[in-house]
Amino acid sequence: TFANNQHNLAELEAADILQSPFARVLLSMSCVGTVLLCDPAVTPLGRCWCVFEAFLSHALQEPSAAPIKLRSNKHWHLIDIAACVTVGGDTKGVAFLADAFGGNWHE
């Protein structure tokens, strides 16, 4: 979804949010999962599309329990949450805060 203008929704023709490019890619069978990469300020969760994608990714893990009708034949989706590890202002790597396999969280 990098090619979408997230600040001008008028460019999106579909009125149904599940028809937006943000949702279509996650609902496609070729999308295996989602990685939510956070900085120390957790900046992605301040962006509505990132929150929507995280919500939809979580809903795809258990479609029957999702609060919205997903219109997808997909019955699985992986979601990982990771954060950059910084020491003295220098990024040293990435730490997985939580990862899900089969809908179960492992730390």
Side-chain angles (χ1 to χ4, degrees):
T1 60
F2 291 117
N4 298 312
N5 184 347
Q6 299 178 19
H7 304 288
N8 185 0
L9 301 182
E11 293 180 4
L12 301 177
E13 294 180 12
D16 181 358
I17 196 166
L18 292 177
Q19 293 299 316
S20 70
F22 306 98
R24 284 196 324 251
V25 70
L26 294 175
L27 293 169
S28 74
M29 294 302 284
S30 62
C31 181
V32 176
T34 305
V35 175
L36 175 61
L37 180 59
C38 297
D39 60 2
V42 195
T43 303
L45 296 182
R47 298 177 178 160
C48 65
W49 286 113
C50 292
V51 172
F52 172 69
E53 289 173 345
F55 165 79
L56 190 53
S57 296
H58 179 70
L60 283 167
Q61 288 187 313
E62 190 61 48
S64 62
I68 59 174
K69 178 93 171 105
L70 294 177
R71 295 189 300 273
S72 175
N73 293 328
K74 197 173 186 178
H75 298 291
W76 52 269
H77 192 83
L78 304 176
I79 183 169
D80 292 330
I81 302 172
C84 293
V85 176
T86 58
V87 177
D90 294 328
T91 301
K92 299 297 183 184
V94 175
F96 281 93
L97 306 176
D99 66 280
F101 179 74
N104 297 311
W105 290 94
H106 304 282
E107 293 192 40

